[in-house]
Amino acid sequence: MKTIPRPGGRAWRRGIAAVALAATLTATLIGTAPAWARREGQPATASIEIRRTGDGIPHVRATTWRGLGIGYGQVQAEDALCTLADAFVTYSGQRSLYFGADRKPAKRSTFGMPVNLDLDFFFKAFAGPDAVEALKREQPADLDELIAGYAEGYNRHVRSLQKSRGKGARHACSDAPWVRTIEPDDVYRRMIAAALAGGYAHFVSEIVNAKPAATAPPVPSDHLSLSSRLEIPVGDARGIGSNVLAFGQAATGERGGSVLFGNPHWYWGGPDRFYQAHLTLPGKMDVAGVSFLGIPVIMIGFNNDVAWSHTVSAARRFGLFDLVLDPSDPTRYLVDGVSERMQTRQVAVEVRRPDGIEAVHRTLYRTRFGPVVDLGARNPALGWSARKAIAMRDVNASNARIFPNFFRWGQARSLDEFIQIQKQEAAMPWVNTAAIGRGDGRVWYADIGAVPAVPDDLRAACATPLSKAFAAIDADAPVLDGSRSACEWKAGQASEQPRRMPPDHMPSLLREDYVANMNDSYWLTNPAQPLTGFASILGGEGQALSMRGREGHRIASELSNAGSTSSRQLAERVMQKTQQARSYTADQFKQPLLDAACAASGQVGPTPDMRQACRILRNWSNRAGAQDRGALLWDAFWTRLQQIPAGELYAKAFSAEAPLRTPAAINAADPRVASALAGAVDDMRQKGRALDAPLGTLRFARSEGRRIPLFGGCDAEGYFTIACANEGDYTMGDRSHGNTYLQVVYFDRRGVHARTLLAHGEKETAVTNGLGAAPVVRYAKKDWLRFPFHEEDIARDPALVRQTLRP
């Protein structure tokens, strides 16, 4: 990689002749001409150029889709080779071959953390050659070319490491046997994995271990009850999701003005981590934002005319079918009284043993409704017995239009075109969408995507006793009678298999003030215009919002009514307000809780610790800033309060008539409240934590032996600003989740203006050994990056580094 002096500088003038000659030779030999060289009259032949700006963000510019893919594959490999290589092993079903059958992935992801052998069988079955070919057939030629280029670019970096023989750029995994070159099919398998995150990936082990009349199904590795498992929309960690706020001209005070705030709180490590980039094919596409590692299209971001973001949807993307088995054979099931044999598939996985490689075989079972899933370990009534079994169908298993949708969005030229694409494709897999457009004072929200066509009348007509029992576990996922063909999902379009809900049956909203979603249902996208009348599979109406959701609407309402006079002014306010890290639960309930708990402790003679705890919490600002004292104690206190049933903790229950103010009136006099505070104090002391320790002494990221104190909290405490480590550890690292990619976008006559933060940085080493941690430091300082989207902004970026690639 070579640093090019900024045009006009002394070094540039001194070296212009030599540099121009080098550019001429480069263009002649490899078909590449940097932008500044073209301005000097060099030929604009086929080229691939990578320009890195502040925080190492790559701007990939090419003259062909293949070239654009090559550049993007190379930069992702440069920054995250080990994570990507590990992931490609996973998607090809080879973890047991390289890492051992009984081990688990080291980092979290949307498919959870099953044992390697189960993951191998799963991906062999659901991302095998047939699934890849079916997906490839539906991709436009330009996207297929981009995908092939991505694989080629990834391979360029892998081969360069192999040729360097220890010299030059290295990775921790450079010499590992599982680091290999890939084919375009590997990228397609990665795309399939992303699609299944809201369905089959919930139950990897339960699908691949399903056996007829099994008496002892394997215990799930996460040990969650079924209801707890289904409360987590994707992955296996609570709190994975996003916030999105979009403000129209009524909020900006500017005709045609709008502002978008996107804030996924997502994985800080692993294969689903976000990667930030800018992709340009002149005349075709010019888009910036983030994608998952291994995905070659922008999934959240902006171009010069539209901007969009997503939140994890509350809609169910899968359904269950209650099967009645043939009494003579548990691998046959009855439909309309006729016995059908389950389809069987023999799957083999290579497993490395101490004495060599062994092929392990399993039989996987499928019905006309989908694969058999044995949930008996989570609930005995849902196991595969001699008379009953359950089949599961994931609507996204046949959804081939997810990435063409993203691909088209990157090229959209207006909000109306963006909306039209979403309705045409109806392909979003498990997310809500919010968007704004240049010169358009409206803001858009929609949960339009791939959703099972299960209207409530079908659910009612096809209910079984199991359906009704399952509704107590999860009211949204449909369980239909698999013994009747009339209980198939209804057709959204005659040619679709499986059948999907038509776009006009799904919720959407255009407003001029604001739309917001914090992973609650579509219902209160804007409280002034509730969305009602939709099928319950879409997430439900009239249900209590999360505390984070209530805080998000408080922020949105405050900003919408702030009296802004321009999009720029509102954008500045959004950047400040959304990072305050206020605890909604503390704002609403701290005072009465302390009044009661501290007085109660006084009646029995308060200990010095209790007096100190009461003083600390009273003085606490209710914010989770790195220097705030009291946030840690409130976490411990509120965690214990959550053990009190909501119906007993709150004096005023949730009311759909006052959804942003209920539940309320906490029962502070309940003696369990004082006990919870005392227990929180004991917890802190037993863990060796000072009651008034600043949050940043525990919530931090590591950087080359230093600690970078961070702000934010978990959504249970009502924080809008999320930073949530796993398993009780506050340290943010590659197993944590929290704010990841943040963007605030608006438009003016010049075009798009974006401010971004990438909390965990581009490089996979940023939150482990601190290499490449500059973006993490920026995030900790809340120092929003002015994203250099326009060519002139890129050219004058002080950190600019250019690289040209051979085809």
Side-chain angles (χ1 to χ4, degrees), residues 2 105 185 194 316 512 566 576 583 614 632 660 671 692 789:
K2 183 176 180 181
D185 283 6
R316 286 286 180 257
E512 292 186 359
S566 69
Q576 188 273 332
S583 167
C614 291
L632 293 170
L660 300 183
D692 63 347
F789 183 84

Side-chain angles (χ1 to χ4, degrees), residues 300-328:
I300 292 176
F302 50 90
N303 61 28
N304 207 41
D305 298 292
V306 296
W308 74 96
S309 193
H310 298 294
T311 62
V312 175
S313 167
R316 286 286 180 257
R317 309 294 168 149
F318 65 93
L320 303 177
F321 291 86
D322 183 6
L323 304 179
V324 176
L325 301 182
D326 187 325
S328 66

Side-chain angles (χ1 to χ4, degrees), residues 564-695:
S564 298
T565 58
S566 69
S567 298
R568 178 177 178 176
Q569 184 183 63
L570 181 57
E572 294 289 341
R573 289 172 171 169
V574 169
M575 286 187 282
Q576 188 273 332
K577 182 66 66 175
T578 56
Q579 302 309 296
Q580 284 184 343
R582 295 193 68 88
S583 167
Y584 185 83
T585 57
D587 281 348
Q588 296 296 310
F589 307 120
K590 185 182 78 171
Q591 194 61 48
L593 286 169
L594 292 183
D595 288 347
C598 297
S601 65
Q603 295 170 9
V604 296
T607 65
D609 281 351
M610 285 293 288
R611 288 197 299 269
Q612 183 187 13
C614 291
R615 183 174 65 255
I616 290 167
L617 288 177
R618 289 190 190 281
N619 292 334
W620 175 47
S621 66
N622 298 351
R623 298 188 183 187
Q627 302 306 316
D628 280 315
R629 300 173 183 270
L632 293 170
L633 182 56
W634 182 258
D635 285 356
F637 185 22
W638 190 258
T639 296
R640 284 181 165 265
L641 288 173
Q642 294 308 288
Q643 298 173 15
I644 303 173
E648 300 171 24
L649 180 61
Y650 300 104
K652 188 173 183 180
F654 170 75
S655 168
E657 302 302 316
L660 300 183
R661 300 190 302 275
T662 56
I666 203 158
N667 279 320
D670 188 313
R672 288 174 292 183
V673 169
S675 297
L677 182 57
V681 171
D682 287 342
D683 288 344
M684 296 279 286
R685 292 303 193 205
Q686 289 177 16
K687 293 175 181 176
R689 299 171 180 172
L691 298 181
D692 63 347
L695 176 65

Side-chain angles (χ1 to χ4, degrees), residues 332-344:
R332 301 182 69 93
Y333 59 105
L334 303 177
V335 180
D336 299 332
V338 178
S339 178
E340 290 188 16
R341 180 172 295 281
M342 293 178 183
Q343 304 164 37
T344 59

Side-chain angles (χ1 to χ4, degrees), residues 81-82 161 170-176 178-179 764-765 769:
L81 177 67
C82 297
L161 292 175
R170 300 292 291 168
H171 300 265
C173 62
S174 290
D175 299 319
W178 44 270
V179 177
E764 62 192 351
T765 55
N769 62 22

Side-chain angles (χ1 to χ4, degrees), residues 23-24 26-27 30-38 42-49 804:
T24 301
T26 300
I30 65 174
T32 300
W36 65 267
R38 292 196 296 273
Q42 301 305 322
T45 54
S47 65
I48 307 167
E49 185 178 22
T804 55

